[in-house]
């Protein structure tokens, strides 16, 4: 006998909520990457080396976040844990405008103004908040999956919505926000969005799925 799925209303509500969060955090993640180039530019320029370092650090952060997020989700599949992790990213972003110059000058003193210095500065500025943000996708998949048959569809949905947020984050930040607002103001805005999303994750409880019926076996 196959396992019954929870009511569609509960499943749909949970999916819509987590997809909304995935979109907002995906937007913030790539917006923050684009802002990273603006913080690095006065010290390291905007050439190929700087962008290569920036993209590499972002990919490393995503890799670590996906892996660690999956492990934490299996050990503690609680949306309050997820919200707390995302909140640390938002708080770090809010601190960036206050510490960015000191952090970059430290990297320059330690490693110079070449690719190594740019790498160190990028790691110190971006690695932690982006790693924390990338925890969301595997964690949300773990919260949404209610049956083995859902795994592929649910993971595809979450990553697709998150990527849509990534795309919009790049375009809106590059073509509208940066030309009209200062980098620090945008950083504060992205930090506030991230922190608000984290609070929503912790406060708005996912709807409980109906208990699965126990299969009844006949006795001979």
């Amino acid at each position: 006998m196959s396992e019954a799925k929870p009511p569609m209303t509960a499943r749909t509500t949970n999916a819509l909520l987590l997809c909304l969060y995935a979109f907002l955090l995906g937007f913030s993640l790539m917006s923050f990457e684009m802002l990273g180039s603006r913080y690095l530019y006065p010290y390291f320029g905007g050439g190929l080396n700087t962008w290569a370092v920036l993209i590499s650090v972002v990919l490393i952060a995503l890799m670590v976040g996906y892996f660690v997020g999956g492990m934490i989700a299996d050990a503690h599949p609680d949306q309050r844990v997820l919200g707390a992790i995302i909140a640390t990213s938002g708080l770090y972003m809010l601190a960036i405008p206050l510490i960015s110059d000191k952090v970059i000058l430290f990297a320059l003193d330690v490693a110079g103004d070449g690719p190594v210095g740019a790498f160190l500065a990028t790691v110190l500025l971006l690695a932690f908040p982006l790693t924390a943000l990338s925890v969301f996708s595997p964690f949300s998949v773990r919260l949404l999956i209610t049956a083995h048959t859902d795994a592929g569809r649910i993971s595809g949905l979450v990553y697709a919505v998150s990527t849509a947020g990534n795309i919009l984050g790049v375009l809106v930040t590059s073509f509208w926000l940066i030309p009209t607002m200062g980098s620090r103001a945008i950083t504060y805005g992205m930090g506030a969005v991230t922190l608000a999303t984290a609070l929503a994750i912790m406060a708005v409880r996912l709807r409980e799925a109906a208990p699965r019926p126990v299969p009844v076996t006949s006795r001979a």
Side-chain angles (χ1 to χ4, degrees):
M1 181 178 179
S2 61
E3 294 181 335
K5 294 181 179 180
M8 185 58 67
T9 53
R11 290 162 54 82
T12 302
T13 300
N14 293 346
L16 288 176
L17 277 174
L18 288 174
C19 283
L20 173 61
Y21 301 150
F23 181 85
L24 292 173
L25 296 176
F27 186 103
S28 294
L29 190 152
M30 291 307 293
S31 178
F32 191 57
E33 176 186 357
M34 302 310 294
L35 289 172
S37 68
R38 306 304 298 173
Y39 284 106
L40 295 173
Y41 179 80
Y43 301 93
F44 301 101
L48 180 62
N49 288 343
T50 301
W51 274 102
V53 166
L54 179 60
I55 293 171
S56 297
V57 171
V58 171
L59 291 175
I60 292 170
L62 292 175
M63 176 185 67
V64 174
Y66 291 156
F67 182 75
V68 173
M71 293 180 62
I72 297 175
D74 281 341
H76 305 285
D78 187 330
Q79 67 187 86
R80 292 170 295 183
V81 175
L82 174 59
I85 294 172
I86 300 302
T88 62
S89 177
L91 292 173
Y92 196 100
M93 286 186 192
L94 291 174
I96 289 296
L98 304 176
I99 66 173
S100 60
D101 289 333
K102 294 180 180 178
V103 167
I104 295 176
L105 289 174
F106 170 78
L108 285 169
D109 289 340
V110 171
D113 60 358
V116 176
F119 183 84
L120 178 59
T122 306
V123 167
L124 294 175
L125 285 178
L126 274 67
F128 176 79
L130 295 185
T131 299
L133 280 178
S134 60
V135 163
F136 177 84
S137 292
F139 208 119
S140 61
V141 170
R142 175 65 177 83
L143 294 177
L144 279 172
I145 290 176
T146 55
H148 292 300
T149 54
D150 294 324
R153 180 171 57 84
I154 290 298
S155 60
L157 175 64
V158 169
Y159 281 94
V161 171
S162 177
T163 302
N166 293 158
I167 295 169
L168 201 59
V170 170
L171 296 177
V172 171
T173 303
S174 300
F175 294 108
W176 182 53
L177 293 179
I178 289 178
T180 58
M181 302 171 61
S183 298
R184 284 171 168 75
I186 303 171
T187 306
Y188 283 132
M190 291 302 101
V193 169
T194 300
L195 187 57
T197 303
L199 295 176
I201 292 171
M202 290 187 282
V204 182
R205 300 295 294 169
L206 297 178
R207 296 182 63 178
E208 293 293 333
R212 297 174 181 173
V214 179
V216 178
T217 56
S218 59
R219 295 183 179 181

